[in-house]
Amino acid sequence: MHSLLTRLRVWANTFFDELWRLIPAQPILFPFFFVGGVITLIWYPGANLLRWENGATATYCMELWKFLAVISPLMVLLAWWMIIYRCGRTRYAGLLIRLGGDIGQLFVLATYLLARFIDPTLGLRDDRIYGLSVILGSWVFVLILVARDLYALWFVEQLASKLRLGLNEDRRDARR
Amino acid sequence: MSFSLSAASYLVTGGVGVTIGTIGAALIQAFTSRSEGRAHAADMVADAAGNLTDRLTRLNDRLDDENKQMRRAIILLTDVVDQIIPLVGAPPEIIAQLKKANNSAKLAV
């Protein structure tokens, strides 16, 4: 028992003292986004989650929204596997898929924000204020992820163009 | 149609378009030979990030070890100097300077 407590204390020291700055938010947040999307899709297929008046456009939006809510976190998971465990072209494709997944999630949250909190016909009631801040925080976080993905792709493009330039110079030198 | 529904239809359609577009672009990049340069660059970036972390961790461990060795050496040295000071037949101002330097070294560790 004493040993278990000691080990727990050592783990807590390491976790909170050395690693707390590095807790990755994306792997914590995205499974919840995914589970929320799956629950909506499977258990509440006809639910008008975004509280729109019934009609073809509302149904179309709701179906696309559910599709994006489920597919986006899955794309991010796939991209993570491709970037970490694969190499070459698959890794580069992983960077593109990660961007697509993050943009998809950004649009899911933006639509939810718009429909549930910003719609002027609904009004911002007092019971929505805290929820609004939480969803808005998540949206800003995903926006930063999109910026990160774009930066990573830009950086790879820059490096690739430099590599191509170096290769062309080598070929020119070889011809001489 | 309400304002939010109209805006949302654009948002979700755009989102699905971008998502499917990136999947298409990823498939093209993964199965064509035109992206060799990008693939090599992506490898370099990912490997450099991994290597940098490994290198910094190793450097940190080495500096930590060196620091511990130096502390041990300074403690040993200051103890010996403390024992030698009464035996040294130097002028009082030199002895005072030696004591001051020794105390500074003790405070540093």
Side-chain angles (χ1 to χ4, degrees), chain B residues 10 31 33 38-39 43 51 78:
Chain B
Y10 287 117
F31 293 108
S33 57
R38 290 188 187 111
D43 274 346
N51 289 343
T78 50

mmCIF file of all heavy atoms in Angstrom, chain B residues 10 31 33 38-39 43 51 78:
data_model
loop_
_atom_site.group_PDB
_atom_site.id
_atom_site.type_symbol
_atom_site.label_atom_id
_atom_site.label_comp_id
_atom_site.label_asym_id
_atom_site.label_seq_id
_atom_site.Cartn_x
_atom_site.Cartn_y
_atom_site.Cartn_z
ATOM 1 N N TYR B 10 -24.685 27.354 -45.951
ATOM 2 C CA TYR B 10 -23.412 27.654 -46.625
ATOM 3 C C TYR B 10 -22.237 27.059 -45.848
ATOM 4 O O TYR B 10 -21.304 26.500 -46.419
ATOM 5 C CB TYR B 10 -23.221 29.171 -46.742
ATOM 6 C CG TYR B 10 -24.123 29.810 -47.763
ATOM 7 C CD1 TYR B 10 -25.064 30.750 -47.378
ATOM 8 C CD2 TYR B 10 -24.044 29.469 -49.112
ATOM 9 C CE1 TYR B 10 -25.912 31.342 -48.301
ATOM 10 C CE2 TYR B 10 -24.883 30.060 -50.044
ATOM 11 C CZ TYR B 10 -25.812 30.991 -49.642
ATOM 12 O OH TYR B 10 -26.637 31.565 -50.558
ATOM 13 N N PHE B 31 -0.909 8.682 -54.261
ATOM 14 C CA PHE B 31 -0.793 7.689 -55.328
ATOM 15 C C PHE B 31 -0.144 8.192 -56.611
ATOM 16 O O PHE B 31 -0.145 7.503 -57.605
ATOM 17 C CB PHE B 31 -2.177 7.088 -55.642
ATOM 18 C CG PHE B 31 -2.706 6.280 -54.500
ATOM 19 C CD1 PHE B 31 -3.769 6.750 -53.735
ATOM 20 C CD2 PHE B 31 -2.124 5.075 -54.143
ATOM 21 C CE1 PHE B 31 -4.251 6.026 -52.661
ATOM 22 C CE2 PHE B 31 -2.600 4.341 -53.069
ATOM 23 C CZ PHE B 31 -3.661 4.825 -52.326
ATOM 24 N N SER B 33 3.372 10.058 -58.498
ATOM 25 C CA SER B 33 4.816 10.185 -58.264
ATOM 26 C C SER B 33 5.274 11.643 -58.327
ATOM 27 O O SER B 33 6.452 11.929 -58.224
ATOM 28 C CB SER B 33 5.572 9.369 -59.314
ATOM 29 O OG SER B 33 5.198 9.817 -60.590
ATOM 30 N N ARG B 38 7.746 16.736 -51.969
ATOM 31 C CA ARG B 38 6.953 17.062 -50.783
ATOM 32 C C ARG B 38 7.043 15.932 -49.756
ATOM 33 O O ARG B 38 7.110 16.172 -48.558
ATOM 34 C CB ARG B 38 5.496 17.288 -51.170
ATOM 35 C CG ARG B 38 5.292 18.550 -51.964
ATOM 36 C CD ARG B 38 3.827 18.820 -52.143
ATOM 37 N NE ARG B 38 3.620 19.937 -53.034
ATOM 38 C CZ ARG B 38 3.114 19.845 -54.251
ATOM 39 N NH1 ARG B 38 2.782 18.673 -54.734
ATOM 40 N NH2 ARG B 38 2.941 20.911 -54.994
ATOM 41 N N ALA B 39 6.998 14.697 -50.242
ATOM 42 C CA ALA B 39 7.078 13.541 -49.345
ATOM 43 C C ALA B 39 8.408 13.547 -48.598
ATOM 44 O O ALA B 39 8.453 13.346 -47.381
ATOM 45 C CB ALA B 39 6.939 12.255 -50.155
ATOM 46 N N ASP B 43 8.964 14.091 -44.559
ATOM 47 C CA ASP B 43 9.792 13.185 -43.746
ATOM 48 C C ASP B 43 10.836 13.960 -42.969
ATOM 49 O O ASP B 43 11.058 13.714 -41.784
ATOM 50 C CB ASP B 43 10.489 12.170 -44.661
ATOM 51 C CG ASP B 43 9.599 10.971 -44.927
ATOM 52 O OD1 ASP B 43 8.596 10.822 -44.210
ATOM 53 O OD2 ASP B 43 9.903 10.205 -45.857
ATOM 54 N N ASN B 51 14.023 14.106 -33.905
ATOM 55 C CA ASN B 51 15.451 14.107 -33.579
ATOM 56 C C ASN B 51 15.821 15.241 -32.633
ATOM 57 O O ASN B 51 16.654 15.080 -31.756
ATOM 58 C CB ASN B 51 16.275 14.258 -34.857
ATOM 59 C CG ASN B 51 16.219 12.999 -35.682
ATOM 60 O OD1 ASN B 51 15.851 11.949 -35.168
ATOM 61 N ND2 ASN B 51 16.558 13.101 -36.944
ATOM 62 N N THR B 78 36.161 22.751 -1.260
ATOM 63 C CA THR B 78 35.954 23.751 -0.203
ATOM 64 C C THR B 78 36.225 23.154 1.182
ATOM 65 O O THR B 78 36.754 23.833 2.061
ATOM 66 C CB THR B 78 34.522 24.320 -0.251
ATOM 67 O OG1 THR B 78 33.599 23.235 -0.307
ATOM 68 C CG2 THR B 78 34.326 25.229 -1.447
#
